[in-house]
Amino acid sequence: MEIITSILAGILFATAIYNLLQKQLLRIVIGTALLSHGAHIFILTMGKLKTGQPPILTEGVTDYTDPLPQALILTSIVISFGVTSLLLVLAYRTTKENNTDNMEQLRGKSNE
Amino acid sequence: MIFAVLIPLIIACFIPLLSKLKDKIHTGIFVFFVPFLIFLYFVQFLGEDFQPIRHTYNWIPSLGINFDFYLDGLSLLFALLISGIGALVVLYSIFYLSKQERLGSFYVYLLMFMTAMLGVVLSDNIFVLYTFWELTSISSFLLIGYWHFKERSRYGALKSMLITIFGGLSMFGGFILLWVVTGTTSIQEMINQVDIILNSSYLPLILAFVLLGAFTKSAQFPFHIWLPDAMEAPTPVSAYLHSATMVKAGLFLIARFSPIFSGSEWFFIVVSLVGIITLCWGSYMAVRQTDLKAILAFSTISQLGMIMAMLGFGTTAAVFAAIFHILNHATFKGSLFMVAGIIDHETGTRDIRKLGGLITFLPITATLALFGTFSMAGVPLPFLNGFYSKELFFDATLHLENTTFLAEVIPYLAVFGSIFTFVYSMYFFFGVFTGPKQLDKLPKKPHEAPIGMLLSPIVLVAGVILIGLFPNIVNAPFLLHAAQAVNPDVEFHKVYFWHGIDSPALHMSLIVVAIGIILFVTRKKWSKVYTILPGKLSLNKVYDQIVEKLDVISGAITRSYMTGSLKNYMSIILATTLIVSFVFMFITNGFTLEYDYLADVTILEVSVVIIMIIAAVATIFTNHNIAAILVLGVVGYGVAILFVVYRAPDIALTQFVIETVTVALFLLCFYHLPKMRKTTDSAGTKMTNMLISVGFGALMTMVAISAHSSNWFESISDYFVETSYKLGGGHNIVNVILVDMRGLDTLFEIAVLGIAALAIIGLIKLKKDKGAQ
């Protein structure tokens, strides 16, 4: 199963990168969102997908799934949410101010 | 001895205070005592029984870098030249520079230079030597650009800086190699390890680097081009730096390292050849110049070439002649520069085409120039020191220890160069002081210079005559020790004016004078030769082209990848990551695949994965806003379902909530954002993007699989499972980790969210005030 999720993570990365390389601002934001999904699947796979019990201490259970990757992913989800929402608003403002969402046209001033 | 070196620098700190008084007293009067006292300090070492003196002052003892001062005959000769001519130049500058000039800066730079130069000649430690060496370059740069409002001054200063620092750095490379080979930083100890250096495989590099440093500093062909442009400096600077001291630093370096390098065949070939070419080229070019200081600059180049050639010969006679000529050249060239300065000061021009017949107006200057130029030309008269060293030079060219082809040619080249030396010397004297008077062309009515200005050249010319009349008074107590420092085999021999009518050196001198007179008289007829050579082969043009092209090419290279396009930067970053990772994975054979620890495959998981893959790929092809959000949402909820499947309740919960909020946010924003369009990229671009993204996905998959397959050590999670309740007091292990075991992560994750929220508020609320711009 780990091989299948590894491939899934790889495909998520590939589509994310393809979106990141586009000119339209929206596609770049979609790309970053896909990238974080890919990363989370990646971390989860690294922690081994051994089917134990959920990491909540219960009487009589000794076999738990690895809790550490879960804690890391939880932190990561929150941070990527913050970043994605900021990017979205930034894309909105950029488009409003410059009247374009084409990255090729957003190049700063020539003297910078 | 450290005080003798550092006093100029210390005094320089007080110059700005003194220059406040400059309306009453010329700052130079205070400065004059500094080199004069240093001169007196060094004079006390003169004597036939002089022994080398060593003083050490700690600087960075742990690296072996200390102020090791070593005063032997060679250092003493240079120290006396630096302080003695320094005093005369300061005296001259008092009358040359008016009180309206920025005298404070001038004397600060000059004193800085004096310290640097004394440091160069007295240092025994290579790294300290290098430090002082660069300080001479910097102070020379400042002095050349002294009149910084003139474009030519800035050009000359930059040119000399680029060339001498280039050489200085390569010399530093040579020094580091010497240090690596010998393990010592002291030159004297290196001389004791000659065999180790000569047998080292680094020898060619060491030789090339150190010689490059010496050639650039001493204006040897083809690095001589900075010297004529350095003539934009005030004349006292030209007299001091660019005739007597700094340009001899390269000669000093060669002389200092001669005991080490002379064992190498290449040392003879390179140094002699470069020296003799410089001699010929410099004297040939000097005849062409119309500016007095330019003539003197090329003359300096040619004389330095002559000394360099003699140091390259390395025979006892040649070394003695080289040392003798260093002293002689400093005397007559210093005085000639001062004469040129007087002519400039009193007539307002240095252009030889406008000058003529000045002997009636400037009789004393003319007399001084007569001695200077005739000594420079090597006219065989018993009161001119230039003749002695020129005759010794001819003698040395005839008695080379080497028998290669080069040795056959050198005497002829020496005569050739000396003929042109004779021509430009005569041209300098007769062109300025005789011939028709052209008073209407002169900006000022000429009259004799004040006595103060004449004092310094008089002292120098007195030196010319004194050494000319009694060459042996400087020989035994002074030059012999210097020559022995270069080549220990030099023995005392008296210098005579007359070597008999059958002396071949005398014949060469007479040939030089005879052909020189003919060429001087017919100068106008053959001057067309300069349109053939150098013609278009000007080295200045080469330099200008290099400087300009470097600018253009580096600009073009930077612009080629700094396009301002985010996509290009992304492509470069990703492509580099890809190539490096794949190559590294291939080299280390990093990819492994292990089936032992894999979890089971179930229908539920596989179907979720397939749906996610379809949704992810769909984000690329959809051209509709809402559809794009929805397929992105499918991927997010798919992730959440996988979390459920893999027994991660907390993150599944978070993922569901966050995905919902994100989708809502996207919907909110996309409503205001422009519609998604079909991509307009060309097929090639699409292909590249595809390649990069597929490659990156494949890379991550391979990394994931091989990382998973290499089980290096057990997870630390057992500890968390065991202690979650005992230490953390909680049953939910993930939550205990988040707030207890690794609470710091959570703290800053909260900070990230807070900052993001504040930034979003800022982005929405704060609008640019359009009226302000």
Side-chain angles (χ1 to χ4, degrees):
Chain A
M1 193 64 218
E2 277 86 348
I3 292 172
I4 297 175
T5 46
S6 295
I7 292 167
L8 173 67
I11 289 171
L12 286 177
F13 277 120
T15 50
I17 297 291
Y18 192 84
N19 275 311
L20 281 179
L21 290 172
Q22 298 302 305
K23 286 180 193 150
Q24 240 186 326
L25 213 46
L26 302 179
R27 291 196 190 271
I28 293 173
V29 182
I30 291 175
T32 54
L34 282 173
L35 201 64
S36 52
H37 289 320
H40 299 157
I41 298 286
F42 192 91
I43 301 175
L44 192 73
T45 311
M46 291 295 94
K48 299 213 187 304
L49 303 173
K50 234 187 297 178
T51 33
Q53 291 302 304
I56 293 167
L57 292 174
T58 338
E59 287 292 329
V61 179
T62 48
D63 192 19
Y64 295 104
T65 50
D66 197 339
L68 191 58
Q70 297 190 13
L72 296 181
I73 293 170
L74 195 73
T75 311
S76 168
I77 291 174
V78 175
I79 289 173
S80 60
F81 168 68
V83 173
T84 309
S85 44
L86 179 66
L87 269 180
L88 263 174
V89 178
L90 189 64
Y92 162 75
R93 254 318 275 280
T94 310
T95 316
K96 271 278 159 78
E97 290 288 329
N98 299 295
N99 295 321
T100 177
D101 65 338
N102 188 337
M103 283 307 291
E104 293 300 294
Q105 288 167 10
L106 295 168
R107 287 200 179 203
K109 293 174 188 138
S110 58
N111 59 349
E112 277 174 317
Chain B
M1 206 184 294
I2 193 169
F3 291 107
V5 174
L6 291 183
I7 273 176
L9 207 58
I10 295 164
I11 298 291
C13 299
F14 297 99
I15 293 293
L17 298 175
L18 290 175
S19 64
K20 297 261 188 267
L21 299 168
K22 72 173 181 182
D23 292 336
K24 295 188 194 105
I25 310 164
H26 199 284
T27 318
I29 293 167
F30 301 109
V31 176
F32 171 74
F33 294 100
V34 178
F36 188 64
L37 290 175
I38 296 174
F39 182 72
L40 290 182
Y41 170 76
F42 282 114
V43 162
Q44 60 160 326
F45 294 108
L46 283 179
E48 291 186 26
D49 50 353
F50 169 75
Q51 290 298 319
I53 300 165
R54 174 188 288 281
H55 288 276
T56 296
Y57 307 89
N58 277 357
W59 183 16
I60 317 174
S62 56
L63 294 177
I65 299 174
N66 295 311
F67 289 106
D68 296 327
F69 291 122
Y70 182 75
L71 184 77
D72 62 354
L74 187 66
S75 308
L76 185 62
L77 166 70
F78 275 90
L80 283 171
L81 279 180
I82 293 159
S83 51
I85 295 183
L88 294 174
V89 161
V90 172
L91 184 66
Y92 177 77
S93 71
I94 294 171
F95 296 90
Y96 185 83
L97 292 171
S98 77
K99 288 178 186 169
Q100 273 75 49
E101 301 275 5
R102 294 172 301 118
L103 290 178
S105 315
F106 181 80
Y107 287 112
V108 167
Y109 301 157
L110 201 69
L111 288 172
M112 207 165 107
F113 172 77
M114 212 174 280
T115 285
M117 205 58 215
L118 285 170
V120 165
V121 299
L122 289 171
S123 293
D124 185 44
N125 190 300
I126 45 172
F127 295 116
V128 176
L129 172 65
Y130 171 72
T131 310
F132 284 118
W133 183 277
E134 292 297 35
L135 194 60
T136 64
S137 295
I138 295 166
S139 46
S140 163
F141 168 77
L142 291 169
L143 283 166
I144 296 169
Y146 178 64
W147 286 313
H148 51 70
F149 43 85
K150 289 202 276 184
E151 207 261 327
R152 292 293 305 169
S153 290
R154 296 199 301 270
Y155 173 79
L158 182 66
K159 192 176 190 176
S160 73
M161 169 110 137
L162 285 176
I163 294 177
T164 52
I165 298 267
F166 161 73
L169 281 175
S170 88
M171 185 186 88
F172 186 47
F175 281 178
I176 290 176
L177 284 176
L178 272 175
W179 176 59
V180 168
V181 169
T182 61
T184 173
T185 51
S186 157
I187 298 171
Q188 293 306 317
E189 282 173 35
M190 283 175 188
I191 291 175
N192 294 335
Q193 302 188 31
V194 173
D195 293 337
I196 296 175
I197 297 171
L198 288 181
N199 293 324
S200 156
S201 54
Y202 288 126
L203 182 68
L205 270 182
I206 294 173
L207 206 56
F209 282 159
V210 174
L211 290 186
L212 206 56
F215 289 164
T216 51
K217 198 75 163 184
S218 277
Q220 298 296 298
F221 188 88
F223 306 108
H224 64 274
I225 50 172
W226 65 267
L227 192 60
D229 283 303
M231 293 299 129
E232 296 301 324
T235 303
V237 173
S238 309
Y240 187 37
L241 274 68
H242 306 128
S243 75
T245 52
M246 189 182 94
V247 289
K248 294 208 172 90
L251 299 176
F252 171 81
L253 193 74
I254 299 278
R256 183 49 98 209
F257 281 95
S258 268
I260 298 176
F261 293 148
S262 55
S264 161
E265 177 79 344
W266 283 102
F267 178 78
F268 164 77
I269 295 173
V270 175
V271 176
S272 310
L273 194 66
V274 168
I276 210 93
I277 290 175
T278 312
L279 164 66
C280 295
W281 185 254
S283 59
Y284 170 72
M285 289 297 288
V287 183
R288 185 200 193 198
Q289 308 301 320
T290 53
D291 180 10
L292 290 184
K293 277 172 82 176
I295 299 176
L296 292 177
F298 277 104
S299 150
T300 303
I301 292 167
S302 124
Q303 305 273 331
L304 292 171
M306 174 173 148
I307 301 169
M308 190 66 87
M310 286 192 275
L311 288 172
F313 300 161
T315 55
T316 54
V319 165
F320 180 78
I323 298 292
F324 195 17
H325 200 65
I326 287 175
L327 177 67
N328 293 343
H329 177 251
T331 55
F332 66 71
K333 190 52 67 63
S335 68
L336 282 177
F337 266 107
M338 291 175 184
V339 163
I342 290 170
I343 295 166
D344 187 15
H345 204 263
E346 302 308 325
T347 64
T349 182
R350 294 198 311 253
D351 192 332
I352 200 161
R353 288 167 300 190
K354 294 183 188 162
L355 297 165
L358 290 180
I359 195 159
T360 50
F361 300 101
L362 303 162
I364 304 172
T365 314
T367 316
L368 296 173
L370 179 79
F371 284 111
T373 49
F374 276 57
S375 178
M376 180 160 76
V379 175
L381 291 170
F383 50 87
L384 298 173
N385 59 3
F387 167 68
Y388 292 97
S389 40
K390 185 60 71 75
E391 197 179 37
L392 286 171
F393 169 59
F394 286 143
D395 200 43
T397 60
L398 294 171
H399 297 97
L400 294 179
E401 283 167 2
N402 199 289
T403 49
T404 54
F405 165 74
L406 205 56
E408 305 281 316
V409 193
I410 280 174
Y412 296 99
L413 287 172
V415 169
F416 174 83
S418 301
I419 289 170
F420 280 95
T421 306
F422 186 86
V423 174
Y424 70 70
S425 302
M426 295 303 114
Y427 175 50
F428 185 94
F429 179 74
F430 291 106
V432 175
F433 293 105
T434 62
K437 301 184 180 71
Q438 309 179 53
L439 293 183
D440 50 322
K441 285 191 186 168
L442 297 178
K444 279 198 218 164
K445 189 169 168 10
H447 55 81
E448 187 55 87
I451 180 69
M453 216 165 175
L454 290 168
L455 212 55
S456 301
I458 286 173
V459 172
L460 286 172
V461 167
V464 169
I465 298 170
L466 199 65
I467 300 172
L469 288 175
F470 313 104
N472 293 312
I473 59 164
V474 290
N475 185 347
F478 189 22
L479 297 177
L480 182 66
H481 297 299
Q484 278 171 344
V486 182
N487 186 339
D489 300 334
V490 176
E491 284 171 6
F492 177 75
H493 61 276
K494 277 194 142 180
V495 182
Y496 295 107
F497 171 68
W498 188 249
H499 287 279
I501 194 74
D502 49 354
S503 149
L506 181 68
H507 298 164
M508 286 162 87
S509 287
L510 291 176
I511 292 168
V512 166
V513 173
I515 301 181
I517 289 172
I518 296 169
L519 280 182
F520 171 63
V521 174
T522 60
R523 191 170 33 106
K524 291 218 166 55
K525 289 188 182 130
W526 55 269
S527 61
K528 281 195 191 72
V529 73
Y530 286 104
T531 57
I532 305 164
L533 190 78
K536 285 182 179 157
L537 285 169
S538 161
L539 286 163
N540 282 315
K541 275 186 194 146
V542 174
Y543 164 84
D544 289 338
Q545 283 289 314
I546 289 174
V547 171
E548 192 194 338
K549 281 281 173 331
L550 272 180
D551 221 20
V552 172
I553 293 171
S554 59
I557 291 174
T558 310
R559 270 190 296 278
S560 72
Y561 66 89
M562 298 292 282
T563 52
S565 155
L566 184 68
K567 181 183 160 315
N568 285 0
Y569 300 153
M570 280 290 295
S571 308
I572 292 171
I573 292 169
L574 292 170
T576 314
T577 315
L578 269 181
I579 293 167
V580 171
S581 310
F582 273 123
V583 167
F584 198 70
M585 204 179 254
F586 182 76
I587 291 173
T588 58
N589 203 9
F591 184 73
T592 48
L593 184 53
E594 189 99 34
Y595 298 99
D596 294 352
Y597 306 100
L598 295 184
D600 299 333
V601 180
T602 63
I603 302 288
L604 170 69
E605 293 156 44
V606 172
S607 47
V608 171
V609 166
I610 289 170
I611 292 169
M612 282 175 71
I613 290 172
I614 294 168
V617 175
T619 56
I620 296 172
F621 295 102
T622 177
N623 289 316
H624 193 271
N625 282 14
I626 304 292
I629 302 161
L630 290 182
V631 286
L632 190 61
V634 169
V635 177
Y637 288 118
V639 174
I641 292 169
L642 281 183
F643 288 158
V644 172
V645 171
Y646 292 121
R647 310 284 199 280
D650 296 280
I651 48 175
L653 193 68
T654 318
Q655 180 68 24
F656 272 121
V657 173
I658 292 233
E659 197 53 40
T660 314
V661 177
T662 312
V663 168
L665 243 170
F666 269 74
L667 285 171
L668 200 70
C669 274
F670 278 24
Y671 179 74
H672 294 283
L673 287 169
K675 297 278 170 285
M676 288 179 94
R677 291 180 303 270
K678 264 194 129 136
T679 161
T680 51
D681 287 336
S682 64
T685 323
K686 270 187 191 168
M687 202 62 190
T688 330
N689 292 351
M690 193 82 89
L691 258 175
I692 290 175
S693 43
V694 169
F696 199 76
L699 174 72
M700 293 314 282
T701 305
M702 284 167 71
V703 169
I705 290 172
S706 47
H708 194 267
S709 304
S710 342
N711 197 3
W712 297 103
F713 40 77
E714 279 300 304
S715 161
I716 57 162
S717 297
D718 291 340
Y719 171 79
F720 293 123
V721 174
E722 277 169 28
T723 57
S724 174
Y725 185 73
K726 270 190 270 174
L727 297 177
H731 292 286
N732 188 331
I733 306 171
V734 173
N735 285 3
V736 170
I737 292 175
L738 280 174
V739 298
D740 194 328
M741 315 275 194
R742 299 182 56 90
L744 213 56
D745 289 358
T746 314
L747 177 68
F748 289 109
E749 152 199 347
I750 294 167
V752 167
L753 265 192
I755 292 166
L758 286 175
I760 289 169
I761 293 173
L763 274 174
I764 294 171
K765 291 259 176 183
L766 302 176
K767 294 268 149 82
K768 190 162 67 183
D769 187 4
K770 299 251 160 131
Q773 284 196 337

